[in-house]
Amino acid sequence: MHTEQLVSTFVEYFHERGHRRIVGSTLLPPPGDPVLFTTSGMHPLTPYLEGSPHPLGRRLVNVQRCLRTTDLEEVGDATHLTVFEMLGTWSLGDYEGPLSLDWGYGLLTECLGVDPGLLHATVFAGDSQCEPDHASLELWQDRGVPVELTVEDNWWSNGPVGPCGPDSEIFLWSGDCPPESTPTQDDRWVEVWNHVMMRHRRLGDGSLVPLPQRNVDTGLGLERLASLLQGKPSVFEGDVFDPWRRLVPPLWRLDEPSLRLVCDHLRSAVVMLGDGVRPANTGRGYVLRRLLRRVLTVLWREDPSYSVGDLPDELVQHTLDHFRQHMSPAEVRSLLHDEERRFGRLMERGRQVLARPRFRGRLTEEDLHYLHDTHGLPRDLITNLRHG
Ligand code: SER
């Protein structure tokens, strides 16, 4: 099943169950939100989860692009991407968790053809502040889906304070043999869909108070589920990455881990540029700068003549179209190229400065500060130049 088809099947299924589709936001969270990027579908909906009436009602469905830097070191494995899309549904004080889980089970097994024997669920086991999630446990037992109970892994929050609640996660078996073990013990169980019973608010002192309404917030990792349904061993082999795998290898000779990192980060960089982020030394711009520097470090390790300015227009356009962004591929390429030149100059300066006798031995904290403050050389770049 093609990714676009998966999106329409999902939206239609929930539309038939009374959900109205809302347009996803950009990667930039609404003003006043403390985080740099939208990290999940519920993000732009926070005021409505907290009780403000949503103009489209109490049942919503959407597709939201998200960016997570917490998973940066995991990018390149089978399931993590920096920018990814989340299919989401919400009950804003309407139906309860078990119905949401049951619909989730129905969509996966009846509409998407997932073998029920390949599913596993996890459920909140309870802690000193909140009781176990009996209702979710019963639902899964009724459907014959095995359940693992956990505490921390089944509590969802977006930060130390704010809306939160117990969740029930649905995992799909990705192994070549019949399913075994449990999600926390075996990473061949891939988490695809999280259903959060979002009905609490965490206060600054750590205590929990009820939200004005009992919500359900669900998020399904689109690229993950698509690649599993397509029988592919990783998200990088799913259809979303088809053009990348076709066009990047002839351009740059890279091993598989480097190819994955380069494709993930460049694709993410295009989406960030399309949403208006520009490279900078702080905030969002710095995240973009770091992604591009990681790409360039990998490319130049292989061959110093490789340039991101050579990224084919077709790839940039494919990404911009997918995310419905209106920017010209030429402008994207020129911004990438400017950033590359800037990094190239910085590397050159770094090499010259680090060649001085004073910096040949082990660098002290004071040296690192001096190199940063006087020569603009960030710590990770120095590490790269000395060990790269
Ligand atoms: N907010 C939950 C998550 O990010 C479900 O959408 O997993």
Side-chain angles (χ1 to χ4, degrees), residues 27 67 81-84 244 263-273 288 291 319:
L27 287 176
L67 187 150
L81 294 170
T82 307
V83 165
F84 62 97
W244 292 84
C263 293
D264 169 83
H265 286 15
L266 279 178
R267 177 173 175 267
S268 302
V270 172
V271 186
M272 291 164 93
L273 287 168
L288 173 57
L291 290 179
T319 307

Side-chain angles (χ1 to χ4, degrees), residues 112-129:
L112 300 175
V114 171
D115 173 355
L118 299 181
L119 294 175
H120 206 302
T122 59
V123 165
F124 182 63
D127 63 11
S128 58
Q129 284 180 294

Side-chain angles (χ1 to χ4, degrees), residues 39-42 68 86 90 156 191 194 196 198 217-219:
T39 56
S40 77
M42 57 73 68
R68 289 191 183 173
M86 201 184 261
W90 291 274
W156 201 86
E191 183 205 331
N194 191 8
V196 186
M198 196 149 304
D217 150 48
T218 88

Side-chain angles (χ1 to χ4, degrees), residues 3-66:
T3 297
E4 298 297 338
Q5 220 180 324
L6 176 53
V7 173
S8 50
T9 306
F10 183 92
V11 171
E12 207 167 300
Y13 181 88
F14 283 99
H15 189 71
E16 282 164 9
R17 286 158 183 78
H19 294 66
R20 303 279 301 274
R21 180 165 182 175
I22 49 169
V23 180
S25 334
T26 71
L27 287 176
L28 313 189
D33 197 308
V35 303
L36 288 180
F37 291 103
T38 301
T39 56
S40 77
M42 57 73 68
H43 224 135
L45 291 170
T46 307
Y48 309 106
L49 291 161
E50 291 183 324
S52 302
H54 192 284
L56 291 183
R58 292 181 172 276
R59 297 183 181 195
L60 305 174
V61 56
N62 89 348
V63 187
Q64 174 63 52
R65 54 178 170 269
C66 303

Side-chain angles (χ1 to χ4, degrees), residues 3-245:
T3 297
E4 298 297 338
Q5 220 180 324
L6 176 53
V7 173
S8 50
T9 306
F10 183 92
V11 171
E12 207 167 300
Y13 181 88
F14 283 99
H15 189 71
E16 282 164 9
R17 286 158 183 78
H19 294 66
R20 303 279 301 274
R21 180 165 182 175
I22 49 169
V23 180
S25 334
T26 71
L27 287 176
L28 313 189
D33 197 308
V35 303
L36 288 180
F37 291 103
T38 301
T39 56
S40 77
M42 57 73 68
H43 224 135
L45 291 170
T46 307
Y48 309 106
L49 291 161
E50 291 183 324
S52 302
H54 192 284
L56 291 183
R58 292 181 172 276
R59 297 183 181 195
L60 305 174
V61 56
N62 89 348
V63 187
Q64 174 63 52
R65 54 178 170 269
C66 303
L67 187 150
R68 289 191 183 173
T69 49
T70 39
D71 296 337
L72 215 51
E73 295 309 321
E74 284 164 292
V75 165
D77 71 3
T79 55
H80 288 90
L81 294 170
T82 307
V83 165
F84 62 97
E85 289 182 282
M86 201 184 261
L87 298 174
T89 61
W90 291 274
S91 156
L92 299 173
D94 191 357
Y95 56 85
E96 292 271 326
L99 183 55
S100 179
L101 294 172
D102 201 26
W103 281 341
Y105 178 80
L107 174 64
L108 288 170
T109 57
E110 283 155 32
C111 300
L112 300 175
V114 171
D115 173 355
L118 299 181
L119 294 175
H120 206 302
T122 59
V123 165
F124 182 63
D127 63 11
S128 58
Q129 284 180 294
C130 192
E131 61 170 28
D133 183 0
H134 298 294
S136 298
L137 181 61
E138 260 167 44
L139 183 280
W140 290 127
Q141 284 170 340
D142 278 356
R143 297 289 164 278
V145 173
V147 175
E148 182 175 26
L149 293 167
T150 89
V151 180
E152 283 89 15
D153 286 351
N154 284 103
W155 185 267
W156 201 86
S157 67
N158 203 21
V161 295
C164 56
D167 65 32
S168 180
E169 301 180 347
I170 305 178
F171 291 76
L172 191 52
W173 178 250
S174 67
D176 301 328
C177 53
E180 56 190 46
S181 193
T182 64
T184 64
Q185 302 303 314
D186 192 326
D187 59 15
R188 285 174 295 176
W189 284 110
V190 177
E191 183 205 331
V192 290
W193 200 346
N194 191 8
H195 294 235
V196 186
M197 321 311 156
M198 196 149 304
R199 45 189 185 230
H200 303 277
R201 185 206 310 277
R202 173 96 54 201
L203 303 180
D205 64 3
S207 60
L208 290 178
V209 292
L211 283 174
Q213 63 195 27
R214 293 162 66 89
N215 309 290
V216 186
D217 150 48
T218 88
L220 180 153
L222 176 62
E223 296 85 351
R224 259 186 210 187
L225 183 61
S227 53
L228 286 167
L229 293 176
Q230 289 160 13
K232 302 291 172 142
S234 83
V235 283
F236 293 96
E237 277 125 311
D239 63 323
V240 165
F241 279 94
D242 278 351
W244 292 84
R245 296 195 84 90

